């Protein structure tokens, strides 16, 4: 046929082969790259450790023989809600800081992806808890998180109080020791004074008063004031 | 290509020029960057003189040398040496190859007359030549290689030259084109030897080209890109940054921060392979021993200790235990472990920088303070809650305890210790079993060189304004002096130094001078931190930030100062007590009112030298400020003229005497309610005010 006779097929195939190789290699690369990225994202570490309370609740819920009483299930659900409160507080606090750090380039993109996934997860989790609560009692879903957050706060307070109280014995021991030290040194000085002649004592006591004064003041006002401060300090730190 | 032909450089006389140009383009910048003295703070600062050698000084020095080797830029060195060798070789080639310069046709030369010859002389010379050089007259001489042809050629040349100098037309041709026959064809040369494109070598050249473009270029770009992606802005690994952020908690104290830092991936590079848990049991036995006198017990809170013991990852457990061994200065009786102990600290400091930036992003004052304190602890190799006195050479915990005379549960800072009368101070620590006389003297000489920043005044102002109006750009000005602890005869403050006078708006000269001062100033560096246990050189940095004490949040993020505008010590090594001016700028709140901030000034290298101070920012309504200004304009006209302002400027701005309007100039009153240098963890040192200092030091 007329037009095709003139075509030199061999030379024509070269540009096509070139195009084929170029486009083919690019698409293969893009494909592989996307797959690898997706696999990487799928293997990202979860933000939170396994949700123990949720697992306990679900196990109890699905236990058939013997059936778990409702009161225990409700308690387990409340515990689960409390843990959710902890997590959501953490997420909310971290969000703004993480955005700032991401913009500045102080953290990687991975972390942001993990964070977003955790955010979605916690949303689903909250919805699930609300649904479960409504199944137990109508409208409990609207108040369950309120009670849960109160529980969380209460637990937090207790923890702090016990922490502060735990420092008590050590502080007490220290101050007792200090008191005995001071009183013994004081007694020693008194003994010295007694043993020396009276005439000498009057001249000698003048420089001593300065140093004694110090000790007496510490003993009188020190323990209460400083103990209070020490507690303040602990409070400040935790 | 029709008219012109590309000539290749057959004799190889041009390509050295080509290559030399390319090589110098690359080599000279590389060499410059190699030889340029480092501008980093650590390499330009002086040192605090001390003859103190800590235990294992050889290990610490070894670590320092290792770091220097790492920074030596060997690749750059090799590259520039290679570049210079190539250049030298090319110069040699240029010198050796005979140059075939195409001879420029010169009619004077051909005729053999001088350039100044007149036409008459030329004609007579031509006639003389025609007697000898004409083909009819000249004789062939095979011995001299003179043939008939060469004679003919020569004669044609001579005729041409003669015509060029005498014939009008040919002369024009010669002047215009350099040739008596008119325009000549020209050629373009390529400064490459021909063998590059000949059949045999062409393939390889093409292959080389493909390799450079198809392999080397993508590889370099990829390496650069992924290298950038691997590190964060703080130059730590992205994975480490993620872990730090995950473990961040507002409420963990100093010891908690140390625990978080141990999660860094950087440690895995140091403790590779079998090093990851080698000697872990021995290490744990030494560091976490249950003895009640172990320093770790005092520093590590119960919670953090529990965390450490519960760690599954043995390499992380080792890192954290090493860090605690370093912070508590525990002897590990094993050269390898000791070496690792000193190696982890600089890495932890780097990670701590990233942690600090995270704490700043959260904006929690307590967490930021914890992070800064951890930096201090790492640099000084001291556990959290240790006595600041242990920063001094030879001061062991026992010596520090004796120095404090066991007064209370809080520690004395170095400044407070130095306020104790000299005799009493010495009596406390110099005794058998504690310090010897020479050790005490060496410690005191270090003390006298420590740069302790003492804030004299802090106030807010807006440049060129009398009041701080809402949303204006406020300057927070801090006037401070470096006063070494225990200094005597501190000169009184010059009141003029405390003023921060703005140049007048119209006063271009003053503005210019000010600008110059800002540009040339700020180059004075305090000496490097005295940190004998830290295996790097570290220049001290001062961080200043304003915090809102009610919310526990940071109001103005930290400004970091490393250099100052006035000399700190004079030639003889004595402190100058110059007033340093530190400025930080931020936007004023949008509402009028009085805002109270707590200013924190923290030196990242020394423990117990933090300053905490309350400052009040008074923001006036914009309308009110305008009114006041107008009133003043009417009542005090003479002071608002430029001449009046100049006078006050010249007289040094002594308030009251020369300018009535001066006190009004700064509306933002600052109340120095509390100026407590030293341990800010507890605010009970404020009873010792500056006046006490003076009387105490006078006793000495």
């Amino acid at each position: 046929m007329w037009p095709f006779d003139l075509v030199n097929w061999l030379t024509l195939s070269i540009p096509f082969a070139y195009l084929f190789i170029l486009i083919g290699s690019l698409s293969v690369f893009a494909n592989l790259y996307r797959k690898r990225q997706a696999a990487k994202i799928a293997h990202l570490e979860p933000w939170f450790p396994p949700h123990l309370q949720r697992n306990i609740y679900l196990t109890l819920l699905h236990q058939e023989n013997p059936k778990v009483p409702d009161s225990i299930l409700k308690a387990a659900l409340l515990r689960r809600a409390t843990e959710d409160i902890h997590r959501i507080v953490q997420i909310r606090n971290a969000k703004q800081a993480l955005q700032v750090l991401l913009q500045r380039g102080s953290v990687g993109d991975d972390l942001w992806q993990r964070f977003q996934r955790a955010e979605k997860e916690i949303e689903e989790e909250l919805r699930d808890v609300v649904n479960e609560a409504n199944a137990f009692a109508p409208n409990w879903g609207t108040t369950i998180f309120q009670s849960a957050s109160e529980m969380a706060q209460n637990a937090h307070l207790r923890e702090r109080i016990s922490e502060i109280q735990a420092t008590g014995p050590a502080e007490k021991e220290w101050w007792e020791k200090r008191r005995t030290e001071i009183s013994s040194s004081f007694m020693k000085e008194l003994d010295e004074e007694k043993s020396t002649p009276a005439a000498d004592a009057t001249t000698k006591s003048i420089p001593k008063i300065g140093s004694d004064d110090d000790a007496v003041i510490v003993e009188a006002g020190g323990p209460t004031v400083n103990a209070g401060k020490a507690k303040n300090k602990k409070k400040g730190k935790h | 290509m029709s008219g012109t032909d590309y000539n290749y450089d057959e004799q190889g006389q041009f390509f050295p020029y080509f290559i030399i140009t390319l090589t110098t383009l690359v080599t000279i910048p590389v060499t410059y960057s190699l030889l340029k003295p480092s501008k980093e703070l650590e390499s330009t600062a002086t040192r605090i003189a001390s003859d103190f050698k800590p235990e294992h000084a050889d290990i610490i020095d070894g670590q320092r040398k290792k770091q220097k080797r790492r920074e030596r830029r060997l690749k750059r060195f090799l590259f520039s040496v290679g570049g210079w060798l190539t250049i030298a070789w090319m110069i040699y080639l240029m010198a050796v190859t005979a140059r075939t310069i195409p001879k420029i046709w010169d009619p004077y030369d051909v005729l053999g007359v001088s350039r100044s010859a007149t036409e008459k002389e030329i004609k007579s010379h031509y006639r003389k030549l025609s007697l000898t050089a004409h083909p009819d007259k000249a004789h062939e001489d095979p011995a001299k290689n003179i043939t008939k042809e060469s004679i003919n050629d020569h004669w044609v040349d001579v005729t041409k030259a003669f015509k060029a100098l005498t014939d009008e037309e040919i002369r024009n041709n010669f002047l215009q084109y350099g040739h008596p026959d008119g325009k000549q064809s020209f050629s373009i040369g390529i400064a490459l030897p021909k063998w590059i494109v000949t059949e045999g070598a062409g393939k390889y050249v093409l292959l080389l080209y493909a390799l450079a473009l198809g392999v080397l270029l993508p590889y370099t770009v990829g390496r650069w890109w992924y290298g950038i992606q691997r590190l964060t802005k703080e130059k730590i690994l992205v994975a480490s940054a993620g872990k730090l952020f995950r473990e961040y908690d507002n409420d963990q104290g100093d010891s908690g921060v140390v625990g978080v830092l141990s999660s860094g991936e950087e440690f895995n590079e140091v403790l590779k392979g079998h090093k990851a848990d080698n000697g872990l049991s021995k290490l744990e036995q030494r560091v976490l021993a249950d003895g009640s006198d172990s320093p770790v017990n005092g520093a590590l809170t119960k919670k953090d200790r529990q965390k450490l013991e519960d760690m599954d990852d043995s390499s992380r457990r080792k890192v954290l235990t090493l860090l605690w061994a370093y912070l508590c200065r525990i002897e590990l009786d094993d050269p390898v472990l000791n070496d690792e102990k000193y190696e982890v600290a600089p890495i932890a400091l780097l990670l701590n920088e990233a942690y600090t930036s995270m704490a700043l992003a959260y904006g929690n004052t307590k967490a930021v303070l914890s992070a800064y304190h951890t930096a201090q602890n790492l640099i000084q190799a001291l556990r959290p809650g240790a006595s600041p006195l242990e920063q001094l050479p030879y001061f062991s915990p026992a010596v520090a305890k004796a120095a404090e005379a066991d007064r209370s549960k809080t520690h004395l800072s170095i400044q407070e210790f130095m306020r104790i009368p000299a005799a009493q101070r010495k009596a406390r620590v110099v005794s058998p079993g504690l310090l010897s006389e020479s050790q005490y003297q060496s410690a005191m000489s270090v003390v006298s060189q420590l740069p302790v920043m003492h804030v004299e005044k802090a106030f807010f102002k807006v440049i060129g304004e009398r009041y701080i109006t809402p949303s204006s750009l406020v300057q927070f000005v801090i006037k401070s002096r470096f006063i070494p602890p225990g200094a005597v005869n501190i000169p009184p403050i010059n009141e003029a130094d405390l003023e921060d006078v703005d140049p007048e708006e119209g006063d271009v000269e003053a503005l210019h001078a000010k600008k110059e001062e800002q540009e040339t100033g700020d180059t004075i560096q305090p000496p490097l931190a005295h940190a004998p246990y830290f295996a790097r050189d570290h220049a001290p940095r001062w961080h200043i930030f304003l915090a809102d004490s009610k919310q526990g949040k940071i109001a103005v993020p930290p400004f970091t100062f490393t250099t100052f505008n006035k000399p700190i010590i004079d030639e003889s090594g004595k402190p100058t007590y110059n007033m340093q001016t530190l400025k930080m700028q931020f936007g004023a709140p949008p509402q009028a009112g009085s805002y109270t901030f707590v200013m924190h000034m923290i030196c990242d290298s020394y423990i117990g030298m933090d300053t905490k101070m309350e400052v009040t920012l008074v923001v006036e309504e914009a309308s009110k400020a305008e009114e006041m200004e107008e009133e003043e304009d009417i009542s005090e006209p003479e002071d608002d003229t430029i001449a009046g302002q100049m006078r006050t400027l010249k007289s040094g701005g002594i308030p009251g005497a020369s300018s009535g309007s001066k006190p009004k100039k700064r509306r933002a009153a600052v109340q120095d309610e509390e100026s407590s240098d030293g341990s800010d963890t507890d605010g009970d040192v404020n009873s010792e005010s500056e006046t006490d200092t003076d009387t105490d030091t006078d006793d000495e």
Side-chain angles (χ1 to χ4, degrees):
Chain A
M1 266 185 34
W2 162 68
F4 298 106
D5 297 341
L6 299 174
V7 178
N8 185 343
W9 291 105
L10 187 72
T11 44
L12 190 68
S13 71
I14 290 173
F16 281 107
Y18 173 76
L19 280 179
F20 176 75
I21 290 172
L22 187 75
I23 295 169
S25 59
L26 281 179
S27 62
V28 164
F29 173 76
N31 224 339
L32 280 179
Y33 184 75
R34 260 190 225 141
K35 262 187 199 152
R36 269 182 59 182
Q37 286 298 85
K40 216 167 108 192
I41 289 172
H43 282 101
L44 282 178
E45 233 181 304
W47 189 269
F48 290 113
H51 200 318
L52 184 68
Q53 272 73 22
R54 187 191 56 193
N55 293 350
I56 290 173
Y57 171 75
L58 289 177
T59 319
L60 289 176
L61 189 68
H62 292 112
Q63 193 172 314
E64 289 294 338
N65 200 14
K67 203 126 173 83
V68 182
D70 254 14
S71 57
I72 292 182
L73 280 179
K74 280 181 187 167
L77 186 61
L78 261 177
R79 289 246 167 242
R80 181 179 167 187
T82 326
E83 174 64 22
D84 286 345
I85 290 285
H86 283 308
R87 292 187 173 199
I88 201 141
V89 166
Q90 221 180 329
I91 288 271
R92 272 199 199 138
N93 285 344
K95 186 162 189 178
Q96 210 186 354
L98 190 58
Q99 272 170 338
V100 170
L101 289 171
L102 190 72
Q103 259 175 13
R104 249 196 265 152
S106 294
V107 293
D109 240 5
D110 289 0
L111 197 71
W112 179 242
Q113 267 156 357
R114 276 169 67 189
F115 178 80
Q116 279 182 321
R117 204 197 287 170
E119 218 178 6
K120 266 180 215 146
E121 233 174 63
I122 199 89
E123 261 173 43
E124 289 297 319
E125 168 71 17
L126 291 186
R127 205 166 298 142
D128 193 44
V129 168
V130 168
N131 286 342
E132 293 282 327
N134 280 337
F136 277 114
N139 277 337
W140 190 29
T142 52
T143 53
I144 182 169
F145 281 111
Q146 213 173 334
S147 10
S149 81
E150 271 160 27
M151 279 168 70
Q153 260 175 10
N154 188 15
H156 185 60
L157 271 180
R158 268 168 203 281
E159 203 180 307
R160 263 185 47 185
I161 289 170
S162 68
E163 244 171 54
I164 293 164
Q165 277 172 347
T167 60
E171 296 273 325
K172 199 175 169 193
E173 195 187 328
W174 194 86
W175 283 110
E176 291 289 340
K177 208 176 110 196
R178 179 100 191 96
R179 193 156 73 183
T180 52
E181 261 172 36
I182 290 167
S183 63
S184 71
S185 70
F186 195 50
M187 291 306 282
K188 212 161 70 189
E189 272 168 26
L190 275 180
D191 286 347
E192 270 172 26
E193 232 167 274
K194 268 182 199 162
S195 62
T196 48
D200 241 26
T202 46
T203 49
K204 241 190 167 181
S205 62
I206 294 162
K208 262 186 189 166
I209 281 168
S211 61
D212 286 354
D213 238 355
D214 232 20
V216 170
I217 284 168
V218 168
E219 201 191 10
T224 47
V225 172
N226 274 315
K229 260 176 195 155
K231 277 196 174 171
N232 280 342
K233 183 182 157 194
K234 281 277 145 39
K235 248 184 216 166
K237 275 204 166 176
H238 288 282
Chain B
M1 274 237 232
S2 53
T4 57
D5 228 354
Y6 292 104
N7 301 332
Y8 283 93
D9 186 17
E10 303 282 358
Q11 291 84 23
Q13 53 170 331
F14 293 125
F15 86 88
Y17 291 91
F18 172 70
I19 289 179
I20 219 169
T21 318
L22 280 189
T23 347
T24 36
L25 270 181
V26 184
T27 311
I28 287 178
V30 170
T31 315
Y32 176 73
S33 81
L34 180 78
L35 297 179
K36 189 183 62 170
S38 169
K39 281 267 168 57
E40 271 189 25
L41 290 170
E42 273 73 12
S43 51
T44 49
T46 56
R47 275 163 204 284
I48 287 182
S50 162
D51 52 2
F52 172 63
K53 280 254 175 286
E55 217 181 338
H56 301 305
D58 50 329
I59 293 181
I60 298 169
D61 279 346
Q63 290 283 350
R64 287 207 177 117
K65 271 183 201 141
K66 204 167 153 191
Q67 176 64 14
K68 284 238 171 75
R69 273 202 298 277
R70 227 174 277 155
E71 286 169 357
R72 209 179 271 160
R73 301 180 273 197
L74 189 70
K75 267 189 224 158
R76 222 174 279 183
F77 174 75
L78 287 181
F79 189 90
S80 65
V81 165
W84 287 111
L85 283 180
T86 321
I87 289 172
W89 184 44
M90 289 301 133
I91 288 174
Y92 170 76
L93 276 185
M94 275 150 64
V96 165
T97 5
R99 217 164 299 168
T100 55
I101 299 169
K103 230 178 165 186
I104 293 162
W105 191 81
D106 186 358
Y108 291 101
D109 226 29
V110 174
L111 283 180
V113 292
S114 71
R115 289 186 173 257
S116 57
T118 59
E119 209 173 313
K120 207 171 163 190
E121 281 170 345
I122 293 170
K123 272 182 183 160
S124 75
H125 190 81
Y126 176 68
R127 261 178 227 126
K128 263 183 221 158
L129 265 182
S130 69
L131 292 179
T132 56
H134 195 274
D136 295 349
K137 303 276 161 51
H139 301 287
E140 291 175 42
D141 190 350
K144 283 182 188 167
N145 205 11
I146 297 173
T147 58
K148 194 157 185 165
E149 266 169 33
S150 75
I151 294 169
N152 267 336
D153 283 351
H154 183 230
W155 182 245
V156 169
D157 244 20
V158 168
T159 325
K160 243 190 220 169
F162 175 68
K163 278 191 180 157
L165 294 181
T166 51
D167 191 289
E168 191 62 27
E169 192 187 336
I170 297 172
R171 193 200 183 93
N172 276 344
N173 273 344
F174 173 66
L175 287 176
Q176 256 188 322
Y177 306 108
H179 203 277
D181 292 346
K183 202 176 170 185
Q184 299 288 299
S185 71
F186 71 99
S187 68
I188 295 171
I190 292 173
L192 289 176
K194 183 139 192 172
W195 57 263
I196 283 185
V197 283
T198 48
E199 280 304 309
K203 278 182 281 192
Y204 299 108
V205 172
L206 208 65
L207 190 72
L208 213 66
Y209 186 72
L211 275 180
L213 227 67
V215 180
L216 200 66
L217 187 76
Y219 174 75
T220 354
V221 171
R223 232 184 70 145
W224 169 76
W225 172 245
Y226 285 109
I228 280 187
Q229 280 206 324
R230 229 162 61 92
L231 294 180
T232 68
K233 206 179 121 232
E234 280 84 18
K235 300 274 178 283
I236 68 163
L237 295 173
V238 166
S240 308
K243 283 187 177 167
L244 289 183
F245 188 81
R246 280 288 300 114
E247 301 214 0
Y248 173 85
D249 185 359
N250 278 338
D251 293 328
Q252 50 202 359
D254 301 359
S255 81
V257 176
V258 178
V260 172
L261 295 185
S262 70
S263 67
E265 289 286 325
E266 274 86 350
F267 293 113
N268 296 345
E269 280 168 26
V270 176
L271 305 174
K272 255 184 264 167
H274 71 280
K275 273 177 158 184
D277 40 15
N278 237 14
L280 178 59
S281 60
K282 185 180 179 187
L283 182 68
E284 287 192 325
Q285 207 186 333
R286 294 230 118 224
V287 178
L288 302 173
D290 270 331
S292 59
D293 55 338
S294 162
V296 179
N297 283 333
L300 198 60
T301 61
K302 267 206 187 97
K303 220 164 69 185
D304 292 318
R305 197 192 174 95
Q306 194 59 44
K307 237 188 222 169
L308 167 58
E309 276 161 9
D310 289 347
M311 268 175 201
D312 295 330
D313 184 1
S314 66
S315 67
R316 183 169 174 195
R317 206 159 72 217
K318 181 175 177 186
V319 168
L320 188 49
T321 321
L322 280 172
L323 273 175
W324 280 111
Y326 170 78
L327 289 176
C328 298
R329 300 183 182 171
I330 293 173
E331 169 57 47
L332 297 174
D333 284 338
D334 182 343
V336 180
L337 283 179
N338 270 332
D339 190 47
E340 286 169 352
K341 175 177 87 175
Y342 291 116
E343 194 164 11
V344 290
I347 300 172
L349 186 69
L350 185 71
L351 291 169
N352 186 58
E353 230 165 82
Y355 185 85
T356 312
S357 74
M358 282 169 199
L360 284 171
Y362 272 98
N364 188 297
T365 313
K366 217 191 314 164
V368 171
L369 284 175
S370 283
Y372 282 144
H373 289 158
T374 307
Q376 296 172 348
N377 291 334
L378 282 169
I379 288 169
Q380 291 296 341
L382 278 180
R383 60 208 178 274
S387 164
L389 293 178
E390 288 177 45
Q391 297 173 95
L392 302 177
Y394 306 113
F395 272 61
S396 63
V399 177
K401 204 171 167 192
E404 283 166 1
D406 213 5
R407 272 297 159 84
S408 67
K409 293 200 95 172
T410 56
H411 294 295
L412 283 181
S413 71
I414 293 179
Q415 299 93 297
E416 286 160 341
F417 178 60
M418 294 307 286
R419 272 178 215 144
I420 299 170
Q424 200 183 334
R425 189 196 321 149
K426 196 169 166 185
R428 280 188 186 180
V429 290
V430 179
S431 73
L434 294 175
L435 291 183
S436 69
E437 175 70 31
S438 66
Q439 284 173 337
Y440 176 74
Q441 287 310 330
S442 129
M444 287 303 112
S445 88
V446 169
V447 167
S448 66
Q449 297 173 69
L450 293 181
V452 179
M453 183 106 82
H454 196 271
V455 177
E456 305 293 357
K457 191 167 193 172
F459 54 90
F460 296 96
K461 69 163 201 171
V462 177
I463 294 178
E465 298 283 335
R466 298 183 174 191
Y467 313 102
I468 293 165
T469 48
S471 303
S472 56
L473 195 63
V474 181
Q475 262 192 344
F476 181 49
V477 184
I478 297 156
K479 295 282 184 178
S480 63
R481 299 193 292 177
F482 282 105
I483 301 179
V488 282
N489 304 328
I490 301 165
I493 298 162
N494 183 1
E495 283 295 329
D497 281 345
L498 289 179
E499 301 291 327
D500 190 60
V501 187
D502 295 336
E504 260 324 289
E505 256 173 63
D507 196 350
V508 183
E509 227 167 85
L511 248 166
H512 203 71
K514 190 113 182 167
K515 205 176 246 174
E516 237 168 47
E517 186 192 301
Q518 272 168 2
E519 274 165 10
T520 56
D522 286 9
T523 52
I524 309 293
Q525 267 187 278
L528 289 178
H530 177 259
Y533 294 95
F534 189 64
R536 296 269 191 288
D537 291 333
H538 186 85
R541 293 158 169 77
W542 278 265
H543 306 286
I544 301 178
F545 64 90
L546 301 182
D548 185 339
S549 57
K550 282 171 211 141
Q551 292 177 350
K553 292 263 175 194
I554 287 183
V556 178
F559 281 62
T560 302
F561 298 92
T562 51
T563 51
F564 301 91
N565 51 3
K566 284 185 194 140
I568 298 163
I569 47 173
D570 56 19
E571 289 86 4
S572 56
K574 293 263 182 306
T576 55
Y577 303 110
N578 276 333
M579 190 65 75
Q580 310 282 359
T581 310
L582 308 176
K583 284 180 184 172
M584 43 199 278
Q585 266 190 342
F586 59 95
Q591 264 98 38
S594 130
Y595 299 83
T596 304
F597 298 115
V598 179
M599 181 201 83
H600 289 270
M601 182 162 81
I602 291 165
C603 175
D604 75 340
S605 308
Y606 297 105
I607 299 170
M609 295 187 185
D610 308 343
T611 308
K612 201 172 153 188
M613 189 175 182
E614 248 177 47
V615 288
T616 308
L617 169 65
V618 181
V619 179
E620 301 277 8
E621 291 284 357
S623 56
K624 190 185 163 201
E626 271 165 30
E627 267 169 40
M628 297 274 276
E629 221 158 83
E630 272 167 26
E631 267 170 40
E632 263 171 36
D633 276 348
I634 297 158
S635 61
E636 295 169 33
E638 70 279 292
D639 251 319
D640 280 321
T641 59
I642 291 172
Q645 289 293 346
M646 283 303 285
R647 201 178 51 219
T648 54
L649 263 174
K650 273 177 193 156
S651 62
I654 297 153
S658 61
S659 65
S661 66
K662 241 320 86 76
K664 284 174 196 155
K665 205 152 186 187
R666 222 183 308 102
R667 262 318 105 112
V670 173
Q671 290 137 26
D672 293 34
E673 279 160 15
E674 173 194 36
S675 161
S676 71
D677 41 1
S679 48
D680 61 322
T681 45
D682 38 33
D684 59 354
V685 260
N686 52 0
S687 57
E688 301 216 343
S689 64
E690 284 141 43
T691 46
D692 288 346
T693 326
D694 290 340
T695 50
D696 269 357
T697 43
D698 285 344
D699 288 345
E700 290 174 34

